Amino acid sequence: MKSKSSKKRSKKELKSSEAKVLDDKILYPITIEDITEEGEGIGHIDGMTVFVHNALPGDHLLTKLIKVKKRYAIGIIHQMLERSENRITAPCPYARQCGGCQLQEYDYAAQLAFKENHLIETLKRIGGIETYQYDGFIGMASPEHYRNKGIYQMALVKSSGAVGFYRKRSHDIVDVKQCMLQTQSTNDLIYLLRGWIERSGIAIYNEKTAEGILRRVMVRDTQKGDAMMVVFVVTKRDKTVDRLLAAVKAELPPTLKSVYLNYNADLGNTALSYDYEHVYGDPEIIDTIGTASFKISPQSFFQINRVQTERLYDVVVRYASDIFGEKQAIEVAQNFEQMQPAAKQPCDETIVNTVNTGAETCDAAAGDIENAKNIEDGDNGDNALEGLTVLDLYCGIGSIGIYLAKHNPRIARIIGVEVVSNAIEDARVNAAFNGLENTEYHVGKAEAVMPMLKERGITTDLVILDPPRKGCDEALLSTLVAMAVQNIIYVSCKPSTLARDLKYLTENGFIVQKVTGVDMFPWTGHVEAIILMTRSGSGEKK
């Protein structure tokens, strides 16, 4: 992995007169040193940074350049001279064509090491953040079939309907019979869907001519596979749509609980419109995260990987308790114990890291679990947040706040803020569905809502940030500073924007206390993290 100093040196070399102009007609030998978040290999030729499609760290190869810019070049693999020791045969037969995964040929343990290093180095390089308690990187014991949602594209390929995903860097469709990331129940449903489409005679939408009816299909599934939702995206409803729906109803799988139409005649790339018609079945399906249950509608934002979501939320619960000097919540240890293999059997390192005990063996980890179980009820994490107000910003359907409230029933109030009105409606429904009366939700930008809450005399003990990949608006960060917020838990889905935001906050009085990484999307370059921050002087450095 490239060091910070080597990256700086490369930039200097790039600007110097010594850097050569690369020729796209020449084959260049190159050793891949790193990869991007998008899974592109990174190497250097005569001081020029080169991104190579499908290349992995440790590969030594000949590359043909397909694009040469002033500061970088893009290449493809012409000939592999020496394979990386971490390169494997892709477990998915569509890996080289489909754009859904970037790291299919990268050993999973190596993926975790890359993501962990990428998180730590990005915090250092962009945020200037090096001093904190690092609590490990949480991987998956079985990193397949974890996606509870899929949007399948439709196309005509050689006069037959293709159902699958976009090819890398194009809008061509790869016909996917089985996706190793989608749940098996979703794969089984897509198999039935192919027959329904054929029998209905419905015209597949042609993106180039804007003709046809059926554009795509969205499938939602629960972790247990006991409730599924299908949304057919069509340009209009005609007799072929009715025949499609009749075919579905005639062969209705017992797990398919909800069917919708979504009307989208837009010529752009928007996957779904806001125009839904509930055709039959239940209006929502229900999924669970730990002890919290959630009603999921077609438009609901709900975490894709439910297994890892629970582990991530457990870290949020623990960090919330840690703010006030309390011991780790017992529930986290109990969840871990349920995942453990039998005593004295080999233990997956990624599972051990889940409780962040630092134990090197299962026996050692078991000892730490037993210590956690011996915490008396009066000292557990549930009591740590008694009488406190938690502000859940970018709250979506409210899942983090609801989960936290379910694990800490003495919280005085959870206040959620989100700009998407449909998400706030879902949050209110789900708070009531979980029997919570200590919640309130507001539609609007957080930086506008927070001052209004202050005018009502509401102060917050903890702010939870869960922004999209672009990170937080600077206006929000300045509001957090101006309102003298004391404690922040930041849930991030992109290390670079996380580091940028933490740099702003640390320059304005906050200290990064703890960091945990989570692999929410195995076989891709995405990296999630949970950060605990406190205002300088509000508590001792852990």
Side-chain angles (χ1 to χ4, degrees), residues 32 62 126 137 145 182 185 187 252 279 341 345 391 414 423 437 490 493 499:
I32 304 302
L62 289 178
I126 297 177
F137 198 92
H145 301 298
Q182 300 293 334
S185 50
N187 283 319
L252 192 68
V279 181
Q345 290 185 2
L391 192 55
I414 294 280
E437 298 178 354
Y490 192 133
C493 55

Side-chain angles (χ1 to χ4, degrees), residues 210-243:
E211 297 175 337
I213 303 294
L214 182 61
R215 301 187 70 162
R216 54 187 63 91
V217 175
M218 181 178 75
V219 180
R220 285 186 178 273
D221 194 4
T222 59
Q223 184 62 29
K224 295 179 180 178
D226 57 354
M228 304 181 72
M229 173 185 290
V230 169
V231 179
F232 295 102
V233 183
V234 296
T235 56
K236 62 182 180 180
R237 184 164 183 172
D238 67 357
K239 61 182 181 181
T240 63
V241 174
D242 290 337
R243 285 202 296 265

Side-chain angles (χ1 to χ4, degrees), residues 169-215:
R169 295 175 288 277
S170 82
H171 269 213
D172 296 336
I173 306 301
V174 178
D175 193 24
V176 176
K177 304 293 197 247
Q178 286 273 330
C179 175
M180 65 170 282
L181 300 192
Q182 300 293 334
T183 63
Q184 190 54 51
S185 50
T186 294
N187 283 319
D188 294 342
L189 186 67
I190 293 300
Y191 174 81
L192 295 175
L193 170 70
R194 294 172 184 274
W196 298 336
I197 293 173
E198 184 177 349
R199 289 195 293 275
S200 71
I202 193 168
I204 302 298
Y205 184 78
N206 187 316
E207 193 174 80
K208 295 179 180 178
T209 64
E211 297 175 337
I213 303 294
L214 182 61
R215 301 187 70 162

